[in-house]
Amino acid sequence: MNLSMRKVIAGGALLLCSAAALAAPVTPPATYTADQTSGGSGSGGLFVAVWDDSRGVSLVTYLGINMDQLLPATAEQTGFSLEFGTLSQFSSVFGASDDANIRYALFGVDTLGVGNNGKRVLGTTTATAFSLTNGNVSGTAGNLDQFILGALTAAVGNGGNGGANPAVALSTAEADSTSKISWSSLGATAFNTTVGSALNMFLASSLSNNAGAQANVDFFNSEDGQRFGQWLLSADGVLSYTAPAAVPLPAAAWLLLSGLAGLGAIGRRRANA
């Protein structure tokens, strides 16, 4: 009986602590190519864009993972987290910036569909719910992909960044400046926020060629829809992702675990008597 009780108590502890095992550090690569990151590859690369409009400087970093590695089945798991450390060159680009002026957003795209159908955008927002049309998703996917192809991975001699990671722009005139990103199709949503504030993550998928029909918008959230998978870029440039928090155990469950622990303690005292 004591052995069984210990198993039950240990199982409860594992259930409560298993989340930590899912944490993973990620180091963004120094370079990348279009086939690793473009939406034309299907599972486009995940980028974080950071900018200060008041100074006209920006930083775009490929994070070294692609959108299909971060779909809800994985990134909604309780305790799942990603730690990217301090973004390379963050301090040199934004050292003279006011934190209140530094904004950021994340994105990845899939443009393999035909027409408006089959396109996907993995993105961030301060909202907890919104709707998009197939045209919204398709247009945004195309706009972001053109930025990846034309500014981030194109040869330096052709005005691109040549796949160097990160892409640093010290003026809005540079091709890889975040001012060149077109978010017009998602203009109704607050897709970015200031450093130190969290962003919710969503996956938007177009479902048909009908541009005006509703697309599917899937937030990375808990089963009860109350907690969200969130990205956070600190004022020091440290980036992380944390899955939705687990639905809190009801009071009865905590009482049960406490009772089991008490029974286990009683069992041990009797065995030692």
Side-chain angles (χ1 to χ4, degrees), residues 54-258:
S54 67
R55 294 181 54 232
V57 297
S58 64
L59 182 74
V60 183
T61 303
Y62 168 51
L63 296 177
I65 55 177
N66 288 45
M67 57 190 298
D68 281 355
Q69 294 175 260
L70 204 62
L71 296 180
T74 297
E76 286 182 355
Q77 293 183 66
T78 300
F80 178 86
S81 66
L82 296 170
E83 304 292 340
F84 297 90
T86 303
L87 295 179
S88 177
Q89 300 191 48
F90 183 91
S91 59
S92 61
V93 175
F94 300 107
S97 294
D98 184 327
D99 292 349
N101 294 329
I102 308 173
R103 307 191 70 82
Y104 77 102
L106 289 101
F107 63 89
V109 297
D110 171 4
T111 59
L112 279 185
V114 178
N116 289 313
N117 189 30
K119 309 298 176 65
R120 297 183 299 163
V121 174
L122 185 67
T124 51
T125 178
T126 58
T128 56
F130 61 84
S131 62
L132 295 172
T133 66
N134 294 324
N136 291 149
V137 177
S138 178
T140 300
N143 290 337
L144 292 173
D145 195 47
Q146 284 304 305
F147 178 72
I148 295 170
L149 293 173
L152 301 182
T153 60
V156 175
N158 294 330
N161 185 57
N165 202 30
V168 175
L170 299 181
S171 79
T172 56
E174 296 181 31
D176 54 1
S177 167
T178 57
S179 64
K180 303 297 192 294
I181 298 177
S182 174
W183 295 91
S184 57
S185 296
L186 293 181
T189 70
F191 61 86
N192 66 79
T193 191
T194 54
V195 292
S197 299
L199 285 167
N200 299 326
M201 184 161 61
F202 68 89
L203 176 65
S205 307
S206 58
L207 303 176
S208 75
N209 271 314
N210 184 344
Q214 291 298 301
N216 183 66
V217 178
D218 184 4
F219 271 86
F220 288 54
N221 54 12
S222 57
E223 290 184 8
D224 64 355
Q226 300 302 304
R227 283 159 289 279
F228 292 80
Q230 292 189 321
W231 289 90
L232 180 64
L233 180 62
S234 73
D236 296 325
V238 177
L239 180 68
S240 62
Y241 170 77
T242 305
V247 177
L249 285 173
W254 286 112
L255 287 173
L256 175 60
L257 288 174
S258 299

